[in-house]
Amino acid sequence: MTIKKIIAWDLGATKCAAGLIEYDDHSQHYYCKKRSVVKMADTSSLDDLIHQLEIGLDYTMCSADAICVSAAGFFNGECLLSSHSYRYTMPFAALAKKYHWPTYAVIHDYASVVCATFTSYMSDTLNVKRLNEAAIDLFGRRVAFGIGTGLGLKDGILFNHGDFWLGQNEVGHIGINTPSLMNPSRCQQHRELILFLQKKISQPITMETLLSGPGMLYLHEFFYPNLNINTPEQVGNRVAAGLANEVLDSFAWYLGVFVGTMQLCFMPSGGLWITGGVVLHHLNVFDQPSFQAGILASPAYREEREAYPLGVLCHPDHALIGSAYYAVKRLIKNDEPPLTKETVKGALSIG
């Protein structure tokens, strides 16, 4: 039995979480031994962020067997390129060399979320809120998307030896289409909302416009133009208190439209898994009738789509566990026996 130690990062726009993950190659279990969270506003550089994370973990990066960073943007081998996500430059290669890091990778933030679905994380009902009871096709395509500062998505396929394939997607930037069979009142409201947004913002209006960042704030201003509400946090508090039900209803509908669109794009027999700060703060969005109505606004292949698993990843460590899985499979040389379909099924059983 060998225990590997991986430092996994979940590098967000407002905070960075890091975990010291232990992996037992005999049981193939991932355990988050310690976790540290640093607000990005409290750091001045990537160097400073690394220093603060090491203090919080009481563990140095160079002591790990591998490091895996999940982040927004594109890593070119030297720096993390992102036009708007972070406050300062991210020269990972230079600092990895300076601090003698072990093997490391900087991956797309939702690649780690997809990888989490390949682990036993999925077997705990505290980690996953299932929205239907459809069986997971273990080796079928699966999709993970998240609603937070942005609208991120990644699809992937698990192979029967534990390795995997990940797609390349930027679907958050697709335009907002109007399904032709929506009810007349919803259609009229949609047209009025688009006209409102076109007058308010100069950028193209996409699904990310409404489902992430200031999306709920835009919806609130549309429905309640005379209230002086200026931040997404204020809107979130009003929604949670039941004082902005029109916002919740409309947000749920557009979320449903996006879910239905992704089902048609990917036909994810391995499941469509949702996460992100916005939805985790408003889990009741999935209880709104408008959510299901939005999914069915595009009715094509309804029976097939109902057979695809749909759920919410709730535990805050899923990105860290997924990054550790990536590190074990892609960065660390190990001699573990190949996974069979039966052992994968045992590890990922939903019960």
Side-chain angles (χ1 to χ4, degrees):
M1 180 181 72
T2 303
I3 301 295
K4 301 292 186 181
K5 296 182 184 293
I6 301 106
I7 294 183
W9 294 33
D10 181 14
L11 180 57
T14 59
K15 63 184 178 181
C16 180
L20 176 58
I21 312 296
E22 291 188 345
Y23 170 70
D24 182 336
D25 64 1
H26 176 71
S27 66
Q28 300 183 34
H29 178 72
Y30 295 82
Y31 170 68
C32 186
K33 185 176 181 181
K34 196 163 186 178
R35 193 170 185 268
S36 175
V37 178
V38 174
K39 292 182 179 179
M40 297 299 287
D42 295 336
T43 64
S44 58
S45 65
L46 179 58
D47 202 329
D48 183 32
L49 175 61
I50 291 170
H51 178 65
Q52 292 195 41
L53 289 174
E54 289 183 333
I55 291 174
L57 293 174
D58 193 24
Y59 197 84
T60 59
M61 301 289 166
C62 64
S63 300
D65 293 295
I67 299 168
C68 187
V69 178
S70 65
F74 170 72
F75 181 60
N76 66 359
E78 296 292 332
C79 292
L80 178 61
L81 306 178
S82 181
S83 60
H84 64 277
S85 296
Y86 303 114
R87 302 172 55 246
Y88 42 74
T89 58
M90 297 284 179
F92 276 99
L95 292 178
K97 182 177 180 180
K98 175 181 177 181
Y99 292 119
H100 307 289
W101 279 14
T103 180
Y104 75 97
V106 181
I107 64 175
H108 187 278
D109 46 0
Y110 280 89
S112 63
V113 180
V114 172
C115 285
T117 72
F118 300 148
T119 73
S120 58
Y121 168 91
M122 299 292 287
S123 65
D124 191 334
T125 56
L126 295 177
N127 295 339
V128 183
K129 174 183 173 68
R130 291 296 301 270
L131 302 178
N132 65 20
E133 296 303 319
I136 296 175
D137 177 359
L138 296 176
F139 304 126
R141 187 184 298 270
R142 62 190 73 196
V143 174
F145 77 84
I147 299 175
T149 304
L151 179 59
L153 180 144
K154 184 67 68 176
D155 69 319
I157 297 173
L158 177 68
F159 301 141
N160 62 7
H161 47 76
D163 200 1
F164 51 88
W165 171 89
L166 297 173
Q168 298 290 329
N169 323 102
E170 288 294 343
V171 297
H173 302 291
I174 64 175
I176 300 177
N177 296 318
T178 309
S180 58
L181 297 180
M182 70 172 71
N183 64 59
S185 62
R186 184 72 70 178
C187 188
Q188 177 63 26
Q189 184 184 97
H190 173 78
R191 286 195 292 264
E192 293 174 358
L193 176 60
I194 296 301
L195 288 173
F196 166 80
L197 291 172
Q198 288 173 336
K199 294 177 181 178
K200 184 171 183 63
I201 59 178
S202 58
Q203 297 177 340
I205 299 167
T206 67
M207 276 294 185
E208 190 171 69
T209 307
L210 285 178
L211 293 181
S212 64
M216 276 195 175
L217 184 60
Y218 293 146
L219 288 172
H220 191 277
E221 187 174 345
F222 174 71
F223 286 110
Y224 307 99
N226 298 321
L227 292 181
N228 185 27
I229 301 296
N230 302 310
T231 68
E233 291 76 17
Q234 289 175 309
V235 174
N237 290 337
R238 282 179 52 80
V239 169
L243 301 175
N245 291 331
E246 292 88 348
V247 172
L248 184 63
D249 172 79
S250 185
F251 183 87
W253 191 82
Y254 283 105
L255 177 57
V257 169
F258 186 74
V259 167
T261 303
M262 293 305 99
Q263 288 176 329
L264 287 170
C265 286
F266 294 99
M267 304 300 269
S269 60
L272 181 61
W273 309 103
I274 309 168
T275 190
V278 174
V279 294
L280 295 183
H281 281 97
H282 301 286
L283 284 173
N284 60 334
V285 70
F286 300 106
D287 301 324
Q288 306 304 307
S290 56
F291 173 67
Q292 287 296 330
I295 293 176
L296 298 177
S298 296
Y301 296 97
R302 176 173 179 173
E303 290 186 4
E304 289 84 353
R305 289 157 57 197
E306 287 178 346
Y308 300 148
L310 182 62
V312 185
L313 304 184
C314 302
H315 196 281
D317 287 344
H318 59 251
L320 302 180
I321 296 299
S323 290
Y325 183 93
Y326 185 100
V328 167
K329 297 302 178 183
R330 294 290 173 86
L331 302 179
I332 299 176
K333 183 181 183 302
N334 59 76
D335 299 319
E336 66 184 40
L339 293 179
T340 65
K341 186 170 184 177
E342 287 69 30
T343 57
V344 172
K345 186 178 295 184
L348 302 185
S349 61
I350 300 302

